[in-house]
Amino acid sequence: MANAVVSDAFGKTKDGLDVTRYTLKNSNGMTVKLIDFGAIITEINVPDNDGKFDDVNLGFDTVGDYETKSLFFGAIIGRVANRINLGQFTLDGEKYQLAINNGPNASHGGLIGFHERMWKAEIKGNSVAMTYVSPDMEEGYPGELTLTVTFTVDEDNSLRFDYNASVTKKATPVNFTTHPYFNLGGHGTGHLDDHVLTLHADRYLPQNEIAIPTGELAPVDGTPYDVRQPKNLKEHMPLIPGGAGFDSCFCLEDSPKMKLAARLEHPVSGRFLECHTTEPGLNVYSSKYVTPRTGKGGANYKEYCAICLEAQHYPDSVNHPHFPNTILRPGETYTQTTVYKFGLL
């Protein structure tokens, strides 16, 4: 049986708000820690082939570092993950303008997204439920939105995220994701050279010059985006156009059933990670824009030191009617389940 959830203090925000850390653990010794600031995963400790446990999730030692140094490390992203073209959309005949925070676009929820908000936490058995209520027009988005994400560590060494959201009075676009930065050699390894990636996607979303999908769902056949067979990241990332590694959305089956989206392997430690999700897309990001910074325990983080596997809807879906629907209306319930399963080769 999984161990009971325990909590402890994790400091204060710059505004003086108390932050609490929650520790989830299963009987195999896998340990996950998260905080109620940003609903952030701060640690994921899993064993290697020799039984040695390492933290494979990049992060920081203090709340202050999450406020000032973080690039969404470990956080829940909302109200809309990824980019919206020029920060604009029209919904039910009304035009909305969001804050611009990513070149000419809006990205990852705005100037103060869900990753920088205080969430209300509730321990439920061996899980922790985090809830955030986003007011009408927060960051320019219509409707009062309530999102609950329940975090569970299962006995098969899986970290499970169950999302449930509703909105009042006005429809709103939603696209939630979780944003851990993984390095299966340990968070402080500093590179992805020994990692092998497989993506279970036949199509991907080409982007224009400002990183917005063109609208095409392009076959991966014959392109560097064909990762249906295992690819060594050191060898394959330079082949991606621009030579900057992955920052691309891959198209999964558009159905609410669970499917295997990706598998990441690290032969040196013997660890693997599988991402299973109900979402129709997987954004893969190999940390090109992580400028040098100091992480947990004095670790040095830099570009290409970790990889993000972000299960989500397609970027800019609100402006592409043929993309899977991201509009949540009053009376409807949004659900998502994403699972990161860890194991040994």
Side-chain angles (χ1 to χ4, degrees), residues 245-264:
F246 289 103
D247 187 7
S248 309
C249 188
F250 291 82
C251 306
L252 310 174
E253 180 184 347
D254 182 18
S255 78
K257 72 179 185 180
M258 290 289 287
K259 55 260 184 187
L260 176 61
R263 180 179 170 101
L264 185 67

Side-chain angles (χ1 to χ4, degrees), residues 76-190:
I76 296 295
I77 307 300
R79 185 176 299 195
V80 174
N82 221 306
R83 300 172 181 91
I84 294 179
N85 187 30
L86 304 180
Q88 299 175 352
F89 64 91
T90 298
L91 180 57
D92 294 339
E94 186 168 348
K95 186 173 182 178
Y96 294 89
Q97 177 66 59
L98 309 173
I100 302 304
N101 65 339
N102 183 268
N105 305 314
S107 180
H108 277 359
L111 299 177
I112 305 177
F114 289 7
H115 63 289
E116 292 185 292
R117 302 291 183 178
M118 287 298 303
W119 294 57
K120 181 180 179 181
E122 182 181 0
I123 297 173
K124 294 187 173 183
N126 297 317
S127 302
V128 175
M130 295 271 187
T131 299
Y132 179 66
V133 179
S134 175
D136 179 34
M137 297 309 296
E138 181 177 67
E139 293 293 329
Y141 290 100
E144 181 183 277
L145 177 85
T146 300
L147 170 63
T148 297
V149 183
T150 301
F151 303 77
T152 306
V153 173
D154 290 323
E155 285 298 291
D156 64 351
N157 282 7
S158 291
L159 171 57
R160 179 184 178 104
F161 301 76
D162 290 295
Y163 297 69
N164 186 289
S166 60
V167 67
T168 63
K169 297 184 180 179
K170 300 176 188 175
T172 188
V174 295
N175 185 12
F176 310 116
T177 194
T178 184
H179 211 295
Y181 284 70
F182 294 112
N183 189 307
L184 296 183
H187 74 93
T189 300

Side-chain angles (χ1 to χ4, degrees), residues 26-345:
N26 67 15
S27 62
N28 304 316
M30 176 181 172
T31 303
V32 172
K33 298 184 180 182
L34 62 151
I35 57 176
D36 52 7
F37 173 78
I40 290 170
I41 300 288
T42 62
E43 294 183 29
I44 302 174
N45 296 280
V46 291
D48 66 8
N49 269 339
D50 296 323
K52 177 178 178 291
F53 281 79
D54 281 306
D55 182 1
V56 299
N57 171 69
L58 275 64
F60 301 100
D61 291 321
T62 68
V63 180
D65 281 349
Y66 279 108
E67 290 180 299
T68 60
K69 292 184 181 180
S70 182
L71 293 171
F72 313 101
F73 281 30
I76 296 295
I77 307 300
R79 185 176 299 195
V80 174
N82 221 306
R83 300 172 181 91
I84 294 179
N85 187 30
L86 304 180
Q88 299 175 352
F89 64 91
T90 298
L91 180 57
D92 294 339
E94 186 168 348
K95 186 173 182 178
Y96 294 89
Q97 177 66 59
L98 309 173
I100 302 304
N101 65 339
N102 183 268
N105 305 314
S107 180
H108 277 359
L111 299 177
I112 305 177
F114 289 7
H115 63 289
E116 292 185 292
R117 302 291 183 178
M118 287 298 303
W119 294 57
K120 181 180 179 181
E122 182 181 0
I123 297 173
K124 294 187 173 183
N126 297 317
S127 302
V128 175
M130 295 271 187
T131 299
Y132 179 66
V133 179
S134 175
D136 179 34
M137 297 309 296
E138 181 177 67
E139 293 293 329
Y141 290 100
E144 181 183 277
L145 177 85
T146 300
L147 170 63
T148 297
V149 183
T150 301
F151 303 77
T152 306
V153 173
D154 290 323
E155 285 298 291
D156 64 351
N157 282 7
S158 291
L159 171 57
R160 179 184 178 104
F161 301 76
D162 290 295
Y163 297 69
N164 186 289
S166 60
V167 67
T168 63
K169 297 184 180 179
K170 300 176 188 175
T172 188
V174 295
N175 185 12
F176 310 116
T177 194
T178 184
H179 211 295
Y181 284 70
F182 294 112
N183 189 307
L184 296 183
H187 74 93
T189 300
H191 61 80
L192 291 168
D193 292 355
D194 304 317
H195 288 69
V196 177
L197 179 66
T198 307
L199 299 176
H200 296 275
D202 296 328
R203 295 176 297 170
Y204 76 104
L205 300 181
Q207 300 174 349
N208 65 17
E209 66 279 0
I210 58 171
I212 294 296
T214 63
E216 180 186 7
L217 280 62
V220 299
D221 292 350
T223 77
Y225 298 98
D226 190 350
V227 196
R228 292 174 294 181
Q229 298 298 318
K231 303 291 185 183
N232 175 273
L233 288 178
K234 180 181 181 181
E235 298 170 356
H236 194 75
M237 285 196 305
L239 303 179
I240 303 298
F246 289 103
D247 187 7
S248 309
C249 188
F250 291 82
C251 306
L252 310 174
E253 180 184 347
D254 182 18
S255 78
K257 72 179 185 180
M258 290 289 287
K259 55 260 184 187
L260 176 61
R263 180 179 170 101
L264 185 67
E265 299 180 354
H266 187 246
V268 175
S269 66
R271 297 185 180 99
F272 74 78
L273 162 62
E274 291 180 347
C275 177
H276 301 254
T277 187
T278 57
E279 292 293 271
L282 182 76
N283 203 77
V284 180
Y285 171 55
S286 52
S287 61
K288 161 65 178 175
Y289 303 108
V290 176
T291 53
R293 64 199 65 208
T294 302
K296 290 178 287 189
N300 294 316
Y301 299 156
K302 58 184 180 180
E303 64 179 9
Y304 310 127
C305 68
I307 191 165
C308 304
L309 303 172
E310 308 162 50
Q312 58 186 257
H313 273 65
Y314 302 167
D316 198 37
S317 286
V318 69
N319 291 313
H320 296 271
H322 63 291
F323 283 3
N325 176 56
T326 58
I327 304 303
L328 181 64
R329 297 187 176 278
E332 298 176 342
T333 300
Y334 167 97
T335 60
Q336 176 199 150
T337 297
T338 293
V339 174
Y340 295 119
K341 176 179 169 55
F342 297 87
L344 296 173
L345 301 174

